[in-house]
Amino acid sequence: MTTNVNKALLLAALASVAAGAMAQDGDVARRVEDLMRRMTLEEKVGQLHQLSGRQMTGPGSEKFADKLADIRAGRVGSMLNVKGVAETREIQALALQSRLKIPLLFSLDVIHGYRTVFPVPLGEAASWDLDAIRESARVAAREAAASGIHWTFAPMVDIGRDPRWGRVMEGAGEDTYLGSQIAVARVQGFQGPKLGALDRVMATAKHFAGYGAAIAGRDYNAVDMSEQQLHEVYLPPFKAAADAGVATFMNAFNTLNGVPATASAVLQRDILKGQWGYRGFVVSDWASIKELVEHGHAADLSEAARQAIEAGSDMDMEGYAYSRHLAALVAGGKVKQSVLDDAVRRVLTKKFEMGLFDDPYRFSDAARERAVLADPSHARIARDVARKSLVLLKNEGQALPFAKDVGSLAVIGPLADARRDLEGGWIVQSDPQRVVSILDGIRGQVAPGMRLVVAKGCDVACTDTSGFAEAVAAAGRADAVLLVVGESWDMSGEAKSRADLGLPGRQAALFDALAATGKPVVVVILAGRPLVFNGVADRAAAILYAWFPGAQGGNAVADVLFGDYNPSGKLPMTFPRSVGQVPISYQQYRTGRPVVNAANVVYRSAYIDSPNTPRYAFGHGLSYTTFAYSDLVLSEPVMGQGDKVEVSFTLANTGRRAGEEVAQLYIRDRVSSIVRPLMELKGFRKLKLEPGERRTVRFVIDRDTLAFTDGKLRRVAEPGEFDLMIGSASDAIRLRGTLTLRD
Ligand code: BGC
């Protein structure tokens, strides 16, 4: 048997060399079937079992004896958290001792960089720069792939409208259109044009589905929403990722309308594999199959395994439900053989497409790992992406940029010299030595002779104010004052829900103490989510929102502070005034009682103690220059269902610096069978303009631009009038037009 297998592998390898390419589709299908015919029930189940392992080789590996034996016996299909050429080679060698020598897939959460840490995904989304986002994913893939990794658990494409939910940090924000575009860019960046390239990895669209809408913003909590909302708002980024060829999907921890997503045949079989014709495989989230018992949806682990496999969850991540029960379920006729086979076929197909049967070690090359991880271009790219992710929220009296020859600068705050916090969560293989703090970045920029006065003031979560006096004195001695505050890296991310969105600890009081000196205070805020900071918003001279900007964050922030880079980021999430306003999105729905006059809100859809408007709107972000919008032209005022209309306008840089603007197109469907939001993003362009430069910008509107999901879940574009709005933010509309869709 083994000889035959070797012969088959050899022939296939020769064929692929002869073809000069990785295996072709038909070829893969034939090889998968050939292998499947030779697999036992246990070996098939093994392909669906994913284990986590860290430092399983070398000294101390005895404690992993059972896991290592399972790998050798072909009872494991994939590993997560094994990384680096040395370790992946060693573990792969064990898998190749198994009867059929089926290679393992090595997977890892490469979320925003592997060795080179990029801004957290929400920060990258604030760049609205699809090329930059694609490039970030490409570099992450290149480094990970050079270190033996085949597969990343990214991008997270969950829509997030509730900043209490800490995982908004990992996504692209609140908007379905922007989120779908970014999902595609990330998939392209991670995977490249075709699976199997040595500098790319397989991507994962996660978490399918609805995870971002956890009740009360509490991670892992239940989700309950109308099917129309699900299809209209939450599913499109997943569909976009599937259409872009994402290799895998990950299901989700949450229940959706009462059914755990992991056990949802509607999501995984009907929608994903049925309607969307998806051919990749679905991995569960960490132990989410086992958690079907905890949810009260399955009585025991065996029942959980049956529900999950039947619902279309192909691979069990660390749940041990398939490894313990699936063979018996199939042997006992409780799960159909064809259901098991379909899952196994999907997993094997990816292994063939990645070229692992031709060379199981092809991603584990020590020389390549050394060279790629030392590539200096990666830091330059990370700096560029980080600069683009920064959002200038406020800049009164042009407090920024600082003059490079400002005599003295006070740099204050708990995060001014932070390194680890700049990286944010999901750091897998970073090198702390490479992180540039904001203070480092500033030191690298200022003119010789400039005096820096540094004072911490307090810690991120401090409860006392004993350091304030020193900070106030430092501010008093300086010509300009910079305060760096925000969250520490571990306050946003998975399991980091917050009920209070304020600056942690006494940081707001530190700002108050500095503001009381009467000196203009420029504030940089680090965070993985929109925070609430009304005092700072009211009284700071300027605010730069830096998210967690990654290893080059300090340089990027300094580039903006001193004007070497003109900020161009725009908010991908609405910033509320208070926690009481969340969940919140610019996509407010119309009501029968809209607020028409802010002075009179009685019996109107309003708060008695807060305006409805956010602190900073979706799409907001300032520049050091100014842009003018003019001359809106529609190629036709009326269109039929099959027509396209071009909307064009002139964008001019009316300031004195070169700068980039993100021009945004919104629509509003005036009358429809399902009430539509007051505005919906339908297009954007990021353009760089020199001072005085004017450019014609064009958007094309077709049926799809005007369509929505109706009450029967059909995509329809209903005849009638549509408002077109073009501007620099959802609350800064500069041009308006009307378009009519005919029957
Ligand atoms: C997260 C996933 C992640 C997985 C593996 C889970 O807790 O929800 O997003 O990919 O762990 O680390």
Side-chain angles (χ1 to χ4, degrees):
M1 180 70 94
T2 317
T3 336
N4 283 342
V5 175
N6 283 341
K7 221 187 271 168
L9 284 177
L10 184 67
L11 285 175
L14 286 175
S16 96
V17 171
M22 286 331 313
Q24 300 301 306
D25 292 355
D27 191 23
V28 166
R30 189 183 49 70
R31 291 172 76 184
V32 168
E33 292 317 313
D34 174 56
L35 183 54
M36 296 266 298
R37 266 195 297 278
R38 287 178 284 119
M39 291 170 79
T40 63
L41 179 55
E42 283 71 22
E43 283 163 342
K44 286 183 176 174
V45 169
Q47 289 305 303
L48 309 184
H49 179 39
Q50 188 183 53
L51 267 184
S52 174
R54 242 183 264 269
Q55 279 140 23
M56 286 177 46
T57 56
S61 59
E62 326 70 64
K63 57 179 180 286
F64 300 111
D66 289 352
K67 289 186 175 186
L68 299 172
D70 281 346
I71 296 170
R72 256 186 239 109
R75 287 194 289 263
V76 180
S78 172
M79 299 286 300
L80 72 151
N81 296 332
V82 171
K83 58 182 189 243
V85 162
E87 208 185 1
T88 51
R89 282 194 90 90
E90 220 171 314
I91 301 277
Q92 191 68 289
L94 299 180
L96 297 178
Q97 291 174 25
S98 64
R99 191 178 74 90
L100 292 175
K101 307 190 185 327
I102 302 177
L104 292 166
L105 273 176
F106 293 114
S107 57
L108 192 68
D109 290 281
V110 182
I111 308 293
H112 54 115
Y114 179 78
R115 172 58 60 87
T116 308
V117 182
F118 282 75
V120 293
L122 185 62
E124 288 191 352
S127 73
W128 295 54
D129 187 326
L130 300 176
D131 292 336
I133 291 170
R134 195 180 297 110
E135 189 61 358
S136 161
R138 182 191 68 78
V139 171
R142 182 164 187 252
E143 292 184 350
S147 306
I149 302 302
H150 307 134
W151 173 21
T152 177
F153 296 134
M156 183 185 106
V157 304
D158 296 305
I159 296 298
R161 296 181 166 185
D162 190 335
R164 291 173 300 184
W165 188 54
R167 295 198 85 167
V168 297
M169 170 216 122
E170 294 171 47
E174 74 184 47
D175 186 63
T176 303
Y177 177 84
L178 179 62
S180 301
Q181 303 276 316
I182 291 176
V184 171
R186 289 194 163 130
V187 170
Q188 291 171 341
F190 284 128
Q191 294 192 169
K194 194 167 194 304
L195 289 188
L198 284 175
D199 56 354
R200 306 286 182 145
V201 294
M202 304 199 302
T204 308
K206 72 187 190 185
H207 306 83
F208 198 59
Y211 185 42
I215 292 172
R218 214 179 64 220
D219 206 3
Y220 316 128
N221 203 8
V223 173
D224 202 320
M225 70 168 74
S226 74
E227 281 195 57
Q228 194 274 342
Q229 271 285 294
L230 177 71
H231 282 261
E232 178 70 17
V233 176
Y234 289 84
L235 293 186
F238 287 98
K239 173 73 163 60
D243 290 346
V246 72
T248 69
F249 264 56
M250 185 186 290
N251 61 31
F253 289 127
N254 56 284
T255 58
L256 177 63
N257 301 337
V259 178
T262 302
S264 172
V266 170
L267 284 174
Q268 298 170 107
R269 289 238 181 260
D270 300 353
I271 297 175
L272 179 62
K273 294 176 180 174
Q275 288 165 35
W276 298 356
Y278 183 65
R279 308 274 298 276
F281 70 86
V282 180
V283 62
S284 79
D285 203 344
W286 181 287
S288 70
I289 298 180
K290 186 168 101 191
E291 288 173 13
L292 296 177
V293 177
E294 203 65 41
H295 275 297
H297 198 264
D300 54 34
L301 197 61
S302 166
E303 175 62 7
R306 189 191 63 73
Q307 286 182 9
I309 192 83
E310 286 186 345
S313 297
D314 299 309
M315 186 180 277
D316 179 3
M317 182 199 292
E318 272 290 327
Y320 299 87
Y322 290 177
S323 60
R324 292 189 186 142
H325 297 287
L326 198 47
L329 286 165
V330 174
K334 297 214 171 88
V335 167
K336 285 198 197 126
Q337 181 73 43
S338 59
V339 169
L340 172 70
D341 284 352
D342 175 62
V344 177
R345 195 172 283 127
R346 286 169 183 269
V347 172
L348 291 176
T349 299
K350 292 300 159 214
K351 292 186 175 184
F352 275 107
E353 288 173 355
M354 290 296 283
L356 295 177
F357 283 95
D358 303 317
D359 176 3
Y361 300 106
R362 58 196 298 267
F363 290 85
S364 301
D365 173 324
R368 188 164 61 233
E369 181 180 46
R370 266 194 309 279
V372 169
L373 297 192
D375 186 334
S377 72
H378 294 180
R380 283 199 294 278
I381 298 169
R383 180 173 183 162
D384 181 55
V385 177
R387 303 192 313 182
K388 290 175 169 159
S389 74
L390 306 176
V391 184
L392 184 63
L393 294 178
K394 178 179 183 184
N395 194 16
E396 229 167 59
Q398 299 185 328
L400 283 178
F402 289 133
K404 282 199 176 168
D405 58 358
V406 54
S408 58
L409 175 67
V411 183
I412 299 169
L415 293 168
D417 202 19
R419 289 196 168 69
R420 176 65 192 89
D421 296 308
L422 258 62
E423 296 180 302
W426 285 128
I427 293 311
V428 284
Q429 192 71 346
S430 83
D431 174 359
Q433 304 298 326
R434 298 203 202 183
V435 180
V436 180
S437 76
I438 292 176
L439 195 57
D440 295 336
I442 291 172
R443 285 203 178 102
Q445 296 259 340
V446 296
M450 174 174 156
R451 203 161 51 84
L452 284 178
V453 198
V454 180
K456 197 166 181 192
C458 63
D459 289 326
V460 169
C462 68
T463 48
D464 80 291
T465 57
S466 55
F468 284 20
E470 189 201 356
V472 168
R477 291 202 305 276
D479 298 318
V481 181
L482 176 71
L483 174 67
V484 188
V485 290
E487 296 186 314
S488 54
W489 71 270
D490 54 355
M491 289 178 173
S492 277
E494 185 175 349
K496 307 292 183 202
S497 295
R498 289 182 62 191
D500 174 1
L501 294 175
L503 289 167
R506 303 299 310 274
Q507 295 183 83
L510 176 62
F511 169 78
D512 291 343
L514 296 175
T517 64
K519 293 225 164 157
V521 182
V522 171
V523 181
V524 172
I525 301 179
L526 300 182
R529 51 153 65 88
L531 294 178
V532 172
F533 43 90
N534 291 310
V536 175
D538 287 340
R539 285 176 292 135
I543 305 172
L544 184 67
Y545 214 76
W547 318 101
F548 295 126
Q552 285 293 315
N555 281 332
V557 167
D559 287 341
V560 168
L561 293 179
F562 292 97
D564 288 333
Y565 180 77
N566 187 352
S568 63
K570 301 274 189 178
L571 296 179
M573 275 188 87
T574 304
F575 276 44
R577 294 172 188 275
S578 67
V579 177
Q581 289 181 310
V582 306
I584 188 168
S585 156
Y586 79 94
Q587 287 200 2
Q588 297 290 305
Y589 282 90
R590 294 165 67 167
T591 77
R593 297 190 171 196
V595 174
V596 280
N597 171 3
N600 179 9
V601 296
V602 180
Y603 295 111
R604 295 275 147 192
S605 178
Y607 300 102
I608 59 168
D609 57 356
S610 165
N612 285 359
T613 53
R615 187 79 226 196
Y616 296 108
F618 174 82
H620 170 75
L622 304 173
S623 164
Y624 294 152
T625 188
T626 47
F627 295 97
Y629 290 67
S630 63
D631 310 319
L632 179 71
V633 179
L634 272 67
S635 59
E636 295 291 339
V638 179
M639 66 180 261
Q641 294 271 346
D643 297 342
K644 287 187 192 325
V645 166
E646 187 184 272
V647 182
S648 62
F649 62 97
T650 305
L651 183 69
N653 181 345
T654 49
R656 284 199 296 271
R657 284 169 183 268
E660 286 165 280
E661 170 69 324
V662 181
Q664 301 157 38
L665 166 72
Y666 297 89
I667 66 156
R668 171 177 172 185
D669 188 345
R670 287 202 189 155
V671 180
S672 43
S673 60
I674 293 278
V675 172
R676 307 300 310 135
L678 288 168
M679 51 196 320
E680 299 173 62
L681 183 74
K682 291 293 172 179
F684 62 90
R685 295 269 184 285
K686 186 163 189 172
L687 299 162
K688 181 162 187 198
L689 271 72
E690 296 300 319
E693 188 180 348
R694 302 161 66 80
R695 267 248 225 121
T696 303
V697 184
R698 294 188 169 80
F699 291 110
V700 174
I701 295 188
D702 60 12
R703 179 187 183 280
D704 195 47
T705 318
L706 306 178
F708 65 93
T709 307
D710 76 359
K712 294 188 171 140
L713 305 184
R714 296 172 307 205
R715 237 12 233 172
V716 295
E718 294 178 347
E721 291 193 324
F722 293 80
D723 294 320
L724 305 181
M725 294 160 273
I726 290 171
S728 66
S730 62
D731 68 343
I733 297 305
R734 305 284 172 71
L735 300 168
R736 290 173 192 275
T738 310
L739 176 65
T740 303
L741 178 66
R742 271 194 274 105
D743 269 327

